[in-house]
């Protein structure tokens, strides 16, 4: 996200209904009980399954000495795609977090560590679909605004 151009927009999908303050992050993200972790994982997995069911999803990798060449790959099966696009699913391909593109919607979708994933896009096609999938999955869409990105002092 730190290297994105000014034309790139971001929306996030989260189990949380707002951006967490530093205090909330400490409280809600540290030493999460197994039952709560499972609940959060299930919510995010539900979102990803809905996304996979409704649009093409490809994995990608940066190749070359300078990591400046993108290589896109289709998944061998729907099961392999579902296993990858779920919390901690990146490990199935040796990645810390998973990252995919949705060609029909011209966006990238990346897993984050805090039960939040991020869509990066330049044209607004993904927003309506993401809101729909989030409502069906009982997760939340968080918008990136100057106010949301800057915690109060």
């Amino acid at each position: 996200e730190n290297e994105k151009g000014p034309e790139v927009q971001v929306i996030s999908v989260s189990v949380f209904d707002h951006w967490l303050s530093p205090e909330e992050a400490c409280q809600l993200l540290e030493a999460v009980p197994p039952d709560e972790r499972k609940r959060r994982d299930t919510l995010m997995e539900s979102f990803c399954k809905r996304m996979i069911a409704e649009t093409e999803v490809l994995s990608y990798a940066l190749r070359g000495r300078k990591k400046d060449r993108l290589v896109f790959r289709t998944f061998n099966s729907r099961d392999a795609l579902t296993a990858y696009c779920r919390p901690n699913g990146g490990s199935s391909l040796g990645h810390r977090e998973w990252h995919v593109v949705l060609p029909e919607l011209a966006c990238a979708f990346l897993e984050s560590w805090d039960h939040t994933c991020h869509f990066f896009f330049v044209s607004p096609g993904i927003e309506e679909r993401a809101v729909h999938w989030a409502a069906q999955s009982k997760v939340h869409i968080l918008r990136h605004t100057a106010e949301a990105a800057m915690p109060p002092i």
Side-chain angles (χ1 to χ4, degrees), residues 81-111:
L81 175 56
T82 302
Y84 184 65
C85 291
R86 58 185 303 277
N88 302 309
S91 61
S92 68
L93 293 181
H95 304 150
R96 180 179 294 191
E97 290 100 11
W98 54 264
H99 48 272
V100 295
V101 294
L102 286 61
E104 296 167 33
L105 298 169
C107 66
F109 190 50
L110 289 69
E111 178 185 32

Side-chain angles (χ1 to χ4, degrees), residues 4-19:
K4 69 179 183 62
E7 71 284 358
V8 177
Q9 299 176 58
V10 183
I11 58 172
S12 298
V13 180
S14 180
V15 298
F16 303 108
D17 64 358
H18 64 282
W19 291 110

